[in-house]
């Protein structure tokens, strides 16, 4: 089932808790592990010619808990496991910095759309928390929440679409990648 008249030309993913296991303030590439259905879904998107990207708040930099280099090392590991990605956007700011890029603001999604040469309406954002969904809505993109046990119930209730897996989330907009139903 498609929720859009315009075809999806790019899928943007939150990094921690969506593409990889969430390890708070992780600066160690050896602790990067892909989540189920992610690698196959990304491969399928690439085979269909759909751009893929990463949109990630990394406040550990702004809070002084991580260095930019540590985040780059983790991102390199993500890219080695799951890449290549067409676009990466990282917000290094703490919540108190007042930047325009930190989710739930739309800055990173709008910037990625510009780099990809796409209208936000042709982008799907997939994440595990409300800020991911809110950023997509603010940008004019589509959003699907793939909650984890830590996702707040009110975030699940507020999401326009909720999926069990990344594959299911993508399949609602790109039927060729829908999970097989029993």
């Amino acid at each position: 089932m498609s929720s859009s008249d315009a075809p999806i030309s790019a899928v943007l993913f939150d990094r921690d808790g969506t593409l990889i296991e969430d390890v708070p303030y992780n600066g160690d590439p050896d602790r990067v592990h892909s989540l189920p259905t992610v690698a196959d879904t990304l491969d399928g998107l690439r085979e269909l010619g759909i751009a893929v990207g990463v949109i990630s708040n990394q406040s550990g930099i702004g809070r002084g808990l991580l260095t930019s280099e540590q985040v780059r090392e983790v991102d390199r590991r993500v890219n080695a496991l799951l890449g290549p990605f067409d676009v990466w956007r990282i917000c290094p700011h703490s919540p108190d910095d007042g930047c325009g890029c930190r989710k739930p603001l739309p800055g990173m999604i709008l910037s990625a759309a510009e780099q990809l040469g796409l209208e936000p309406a042709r982008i799907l954002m997939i994440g595990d928390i409300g800020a991911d969904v809110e950023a997509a809505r603010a940008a004019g993109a589509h959003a699907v929440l793939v909650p984890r046990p830590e996702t707040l119930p009110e975030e699940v209730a507020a999401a326009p679409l909720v999926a069990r897996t990344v594959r299911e989330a993508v399949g609602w907009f790109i039927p060729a990648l829908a999970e097989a139903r029993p």
Side-chain angles (χ1 to χ4, degrees):
M1 118 181 127
S2 173
S3 296
S4 167
D5 292 336
I8 296 297
S9 297
V11 181
L12 305 177
F13 299 87
D14 173 58
R15 191 188 82 175
D16 304 315
T18 303
L19 291 177
I20 61 172
E21 292 177 6
D22 186 20
V23 177
Y25 306 114
N26 182 24
D28 181 358
D30 291 335
R31 296 181 72 190
V32 173
H33 303 285
S34 173
L35 289 170
T37 78
V38 169
D40 289 345
T41 301
L42 288 166
D43 290 344
L45 288 166
R46 291 183 190 106
E47 287 171 15
L48 293 171
I50 295 170
V52 293
V54 179
I55 306 293
S56 183
N57 286 345
Q58 292 298 318
S59 70
I61 298 170
R63 297 171 196 255
L65 302 172
L66 293 168
T67 66
S68 294
E69 182 55 33
Q70 286 174 305
V71 171
R72 279 193 294 275
E73 286 297 319
V74 168
D75 290 346
R76 281 194 271 280
R77 178 68 178 144
V78 172
N79 208 49
L81 284 174
L82 301 170
F85 291 93
D86 299 291
V87 63
W88 278 86
R89 290 293 182 274
I90 302 295
C91 172
H93 306 107
S94 75
D96 298 330
D97 287 343
C99 68
C101 54
R102 183 174 174 75
K103 295 179 287 182
L105 295 175
M108 289 189 286
I109 294 173
L110 293 173
S111 174
E114 183 177 340
Q115 179 181 332
L116 295 168
L118 296 173
E119 292 296 319
R122 301 203 47 210
I123 292 175
L124 171 61
M125 175 71 198
I126 299 174
D128 65 319
I129 63 171
D132 300 315
V133 171
E134 291 173 37
R137 284 177 158 170
H142 301 278
V144 180
L145 184 73
V146 180
R148 303 180 292 122
E150 298 82 7
T151 306
L152 299 175
E154 57 268 25
E155 293 175 328
V156 176
L161 292 170
V162 178
R164 293 166 297 167
T165 66
V166 164
R167 182 77 173 203
E168 181 179 66
V170 167
W172 285 338
F173 288 83
I174 303 162
L177 294 179
E179 289 180 318
R181 305 277 189 251

